[in-house]
Amino acid sequence: MTQEAKPDDDRPVATSDIPSYGIVIATVSTADPEVLAETPDVYGAFPRLSGQQIRLIERHSERRRIREGDVLFREGDETCDFFVILEGKVALTEGPSGDGRILGVHGPGRFLGELSLLTGQVVFLTAVACEPGEVLVVPVRRLRELVAQDPTIGDVILRAFIARRSELIGLGTGFKIVGSRYSPETRRLREFAARNLLPHRWIDLEEDEQAEALLRDLGVAPEETPVVIWRDQVLHDPSTATLAAAIGLPMHLPSDAVSDLVVIGAGPAGLTAAVYAASEGLTTLVLDSIATGGQAGTSPRIENYLGFPSGIPGAELAERATIQAEKFGARISVPAEAASLERRGADYLVRLKEGQEILARAVVVATGARYRKLDVPGLAELEGTSVYYSATELEARRCRGNPVAVVGGGNSAGQATLFLARHSQPVHLLVRGGDLAKDMSRYLADRLERTPGVEILLHSEVREVIGHALLEALTVVDNRTGGSRKLEASALFVFIGAEPNSNWLSEALALDDHGFVLTGGAAAQAAGYTEPGAPYGWPSLLETSLPGVFAVGDVRSGSVKRVAAGVGDASMAVLFVHRFLEGLGSLAV
């Protein structure tokens, strides 16, 4: 008789900063009953479904008996089904054979899987039956339909999947990156993995005792690193595209079909455009060269975004938005870097850096902006090792317990300073002007002034970086008096404004003097038009100098550099996309 699941206590589901539960090194075949005891749901990653929820899921599934030792899915599989355990226990292990270390054991009422089921990534764990039992098997397509159609079930599954991905990352499962902390190439790979929330482990050549023996076994010299190890593959300094292909990141690039809309850039603005367009029936493709989330995705915590009174990590906001867009049918391809844009008959052609060509009836440009760099001799040589343009857990671990400096007077600098103060002491905030609240939200300025370990230095500019391979100190000058002082700092974080990611558009669209994309009347004027030339009044507010091409978020000239502003831009732009596609934007230029 099938055991009906009983719901756990109503505990909140954590979606970030989840500590790792204890790992027992054992295999399913040799583990004793205590080892195979069910993993407690301490952090909300493993909720138990109610009987009513299981009956609802059963409508989309089939029942299947399982025997002890049956493998339900393997590490490296391109995809797998969604399983709900009705009877018996299932262990999740490392390695494709099912005899690796046990990472969790689950019994009746729990479900298996994590974010890869919804994002189309490869499977990162192996599931092995510990004892005979019965499961519900839901094909991935039906699972996505269920998540989209039933908000109650969808929310439970989504929150658990996000929590489990955080757990996997904390456990160091997935592929391995072996390389030096001083190598920009190693940092590039680590950043790609971290920004895309890919389960991985970094093996530090300088610190990890396993590194030398591992490289010797692989026949790889230290100077040949970084290398990536995934299953039976060893990749030597792979490009991000090569790494993405090796671990099965879906590309979703159509070979000849014409999409209704291509969104270029997957920050908050681009993802918002994808959510609205896809949910309203437009075939939507999203491209990004690095990861979803944009600059917001690197923010340790966004505290002034509507609806999140206690704040939300940028990476979590990005992951939720990505899943939301995919739930409605948007296809998201990372890494996919746009290199040019041109007219192709009645459509637009976007050519990618790797050579692929994408056709679309309309385009939304949401490529955002990148942080400016300080004009300080020697600083470029330290980028990626001790000079950074974002402050995430990756950088915080690197400089934990050591003094650091932050340059900038805006919200990004303030948020980074507060985050780093939890990891490093002291944190020197260097502000060029004389008023902290001039370019920073008042709440941030007030909190910084009250935070222990934060030293705010107004009228201060960096003139010199000191250190070889790694930063050791800074020479800081008072721009009023000319006096200088030396500050010890193991890392420098720079947040001094942004430059648009628009170089690839210089031949296609009208840009302002700073490279931001012109829209609306300014775009028409730059294109030589003084009167609207289309029935619906081209250009609309967010339309560029090309009809049917829209710009939103930080890349747009005159935009407010805030997450909420980019989201607002994008939601409005989709309305204009509909008008254009309905034939109201037929303008010959």
Side-chain angles (χ1 to χ4, degrees):
M1 179 176 179
T2 301
Q3 178 181 348
E4 180 168 303
K6 297 179 180 179
D8 283 347
D9 295 336
D10 291 329
R11 291 187 288 267
V13 176
T15 55
S16 62
D17 299 327
I18 302 173
S20 299
Y21 53 75
I23 303 173
V24 179
I25 304 301
T27 64
V28 175
S29 59
T30 62
D32 60 40
E34 289 188 9
V35 172
L36 293 181
E38 191 174 49
T39 304
D41 184 26
V42 178
Y43 306 109
F46 312 114
R48 199 180 307 279
L49 299 170
S50 68
Q52 180 180 359
Q53 290 171 327
I54 289 176
R55 286 190 290 272
L56 178 61
I57 293 174
E58 189 169 10
R59 301 174 191 170
H60 302 265
S61 69
E62 65 175 31
R63 286 177 175 248
R64 180 184 301 171
R65 297 296 303 180
I66 56 174
R67 300 166 299 175
E68 182 178 353
D70 281 354
V71 175
L72 305 185
F73 50 79
R74 294 182 189 275
E75 176 187 282
D77 286 349
E78 291 185 4
T79 187
C80 67
D81 294 320
F82 176 74
F83 293 91
V84 177
I85 303 171
L86 300 177
E87 182 183 347
K89 289 181 180 177
V90 175
L92 297 175
T93 74
E94 280 191 315
S97 63
D99 59 0
R101 64 174 178 170
I102 297 173
L103 303 179
V105 177
H106 306 291
R110 290 190 178 176
F111 54 88
L112 307 180
E114 53 94 41
L115 272 182
S116 59
L117 275 177
L118 297 179
T119 60
Q121 296 171 2
V122 297
V123 178
F124 288 102
L125 293 175
T126 297
V128 185
C130 306
E131 56 190 46
E134 188 175 26
V135 295
L136 295 179
V137 185
V138 184
V140 172
R141 177 183 59 81
R142 299 299 301 273
L143 173 66
R144 289 176 176 157
E145 292 173 357
L146 178 63
V147 168
Q149 294 170 5
D150 192 303
T152 304
I153 292 289
D155 190 53
V156 171
I157 293 172
L158 176 58
R159 287 187 293 170
F161 278 6
I162 292 176
R164 292 175 190 183
R165 176 54 66 91
S166 296
E167 188 74 45
L168 287 183
I169 293 171
L171 291 171
T173 59
F175 59 92
K176 297 178 178 65
I177 301 173
V178 187
S180 169
R181 63 174 54 193
Y182 306 122
S183 163
E185 290 77 18
T186 299
R187 175 173 172 77
R188 170 181 57 81
L189 294 171
R190 293 179 63 206
E191 182 178 13
F192 178 75
R195 289 282 305 276
N196 286 281
L197 297 180
L198 298 175
H200 70 285
R201 177 185 167 193
W202 171 45
I203 300 177
D204 187 349
L205 282 182
E206 281 71 36
E207 297 291 336
D208 199 309
E209 295 178 355
Q210 301 179 33
E212 184 178 349
L214 180 59
L215 290 180
R216 188 166 52 248
D217 291 343
L218 295 173
V220 175
E223 59 270 19
E224 295 176 310
T225 60
V227 296
V228 172
I229 305 168
W230 172 235
R231 303 191 67 191
D232 58 352
Q233 300 181 73
V234 179
L235 307 176
H236 294 262
D237 190 17
S239 67
T240 51
T242 300
L243 175 58
I247 61 174
L249 286 184
M251 288 303 290
H252 300 308
L253 297 179
S255 56
D256 52 6
V258 180
S259 300
D260 291 328
L261 177 66
V262 165
V263 181
I264 306 173
L271 290 172
T272 298
V275 167
Y276 277 90
S279 67
E280 293 167 11
L282 299 181
T283 56
T284 304
L285 174 64
V286 185
L287 311 173
D288 198 283
S289 60
I290 301 175
T292 60
Q295 285 192 39
T298 69
S299 175
R301 186 161 293 272
I302 300 170
E303 297 196 63
N304 58 355
Y305 189 58
L306 185 67
F308 295 93
S310 60
I312 182 172
E316 182 180 327
L317 181 65
E319 192 61 37
R320 286 174 171 268
T322 299
I323 294 171
Q324 190 175 16
E326 291 179 326
K327 180 181 78 170
F328 289 120
R331 297 162 297 163
I332 299 176
S333 291
V334 177
E337 183 175 354
S340 64
L341 171 69
E342 62 186 68
R343 292 293 289 264
R344 176 68 62 87
D347 302 317
Y348 283 101
L349 183 144
V350 178
R351 185 172 288 106
L352 304 186
K353 186 176 182 180
E354 298 293 328
Q356 302 98 321
E357 295 184 345
I358 307 298
L359 286 173
R361 300 170 64 201
V363 177
V364 167
V365 177
T367 47
R370 58 186 176 274
Y371 286 115
R372 293 194 181 103
K373 300 184 178 183
L374 290 172
D375 185 15
V376 176
L379 185 137
E381 286 74 14
L382 299 175
E383 289 179 349
T385 61
S386 49
V387 173
Y388 307 113
Y389 299 91
S390 63
T392 69
E393 288 288 347
L394 188 66
E395 293 82 17
R397 286 196 297 269
R398 156 69 187 84
C399 54
R400 188 183 302 276
N402 296 314
V404 300
V406 179
V407 177
N411 279 4
S412 295
Q415 290 163 349
T417 301
L418 288 175
F419 170 69
L420 292 167
R422 292 159 37 194
H423 302 270
S424 302
Q425 295 283 328
V427 180
H428 307 288
L429 176 58
L430 310 179
V431 182
R432 185 176 182 180
D435 182 4
L436 187 62
K438 179 182 178 182
D439 298 310
M440 186 182 296
S441 298
R442 184 71 257 177
Y443 83 91
L444 264 181
D446 290 343
R447 188 180 298 182
L448 285 167
E449 290 169 350
R450 298 194 305 265
T451 300
V454 172
E455 181 186 15
I456 300 171
L457 301 175
L458 302 177
H459 301 289
S460 297
E461 299 181 34
V462 177
R463 289 294 171 84
E464 181 186 17
V465 292
I466 302 169
H468 177 69
L470 287 175
L471 181 67
E472 298 174 4
L474 303 169
T475 299
V476 178
V477 174
D478 187 312
N479 57 28
R480 296 170 304 172
T481 66
S484 65
R485 60 180 290 192
K486 181 179 178 181
L487 289 179
E488 289 190 10
S490 66
L492 175 64
F493 296 82
V494 182
F495 301 93
I496 56 171
E499 297 174 342
N501 290 314
S502 61
N503 290 341
W504 64 284
L505 292 168
S506 59
E507 301 297 322
L509 301 179
L511 310 177
D512 69 14
D513 292 340
H514 301 287
F516 292 91
V517 179
L518 293 170
T519 57
Q525 185 175 6
Y529 291 87
T530 56
E531 297 292 335
Y536 77 112
W538 172 83
S540 56
L541 181 63
L542 299 172
E543 205 160 7
T544 69
S545 53
L546 286 179
V549 178
F550 305 83
V552 298
D554 289 359
V555 76
R556 182 174 69 84
S557 179
S559 66
V560 178
K561 305 302 187 280
R562 292 286 188 273
V563 172
V567 168
D569 271 6
S571 60
M572 185 165 42
V574 174
L575 171 64
F576 298 141
V577 169
H578 279 293
R579 292 180 181 175
F580 177 80
L581 294 180
E582 287 167 0
L584 298 179
S586 56
L587 175 67
V589 294

